[in-house]
Amino acid sequence: LLGAPAEAQSRRAPPAMAPAHEQADFILVLKAARRLILYRGGQPLREYRISLGDGANDGPKRFEGDGRTPEGLYVIDWRNANSVSYLSLHISYPNEQDVAYAAAHGRSAGGDIMIHGINNGWGFLGALQRSRDWTAGCIAVTNREMRQIWSLVPDGTPIELRA
């Protein structure tokens, strides 16, 4: 019963996009501060507390399975309303440099780095999900926050991830 409201929310259709004049045109992720900030016209629009990959304190993502969250400039390039976590926005990691670095070390750079809500079935955790880094390299927010982000961030939005 505890999970019922979150489960009902996770079955709802994704929210509609906000009007264009309200949408973010840039995302900044400050890994050390565990913050994701949406910007429009150089001004902060919304700020969220986040959880990251369980290796996030060990530097930028380098290889598949390292649990790290990338650093650098990327783009939100597609979205998934039916992901294993509540809604997800895909970050264009790995770029050419990421692939080259991993290849030079005989490894894969990995991929599927997303901004997403809580894993399906666990939405009842809400803000408790922020008590530790738990993703495989992604950026996690609450499901309610993910609904906001989904509606405010169009595909093609640049994202910078900083240490």
Side-chain angles (χ1 to χ4, degrees), residues 41-127:
Q43 298 299 313
L45 251 152
R46 299 260 198 305
E47 183 172 329
Y48 304 92
R49 290 181 53 214
I50 59 174
S51 293
L52 298 171
D54 58 10
N57 292 329
D58 299 330
K61 182 162 195 64
R62 294 294 188 197
F63 309 113
E64 183 173 11
D66 65 11
R68 298 177 183 184
T69 301
E71 294 174 11
L73 290 170
Y74 300 92
V75 172
I76 300 300
D77 56 359
W78 53 271
R79 60 191 56 230
N80 184 354
N82 297 306
S83 66
V84 297
S85 297
Y86 183 68
L87 302 175
S88 62
L89 300 177
H90 185 261
I91 297 169
S92 63
Y93 175 90
N95 61 28
E96 288 180 25
Q97 294 87 358
D98 299 320
V99 171
Y101 182 90
H105 291 83
R107 309 266 309 268
S108 165
D112 286 335
I113 302 297
M114 312 276 199
I115 300 170
H116 61 69
I118 300 169
N119 288 350
N120 294 328
W122 292 91
F124 64 89
L125 289 174

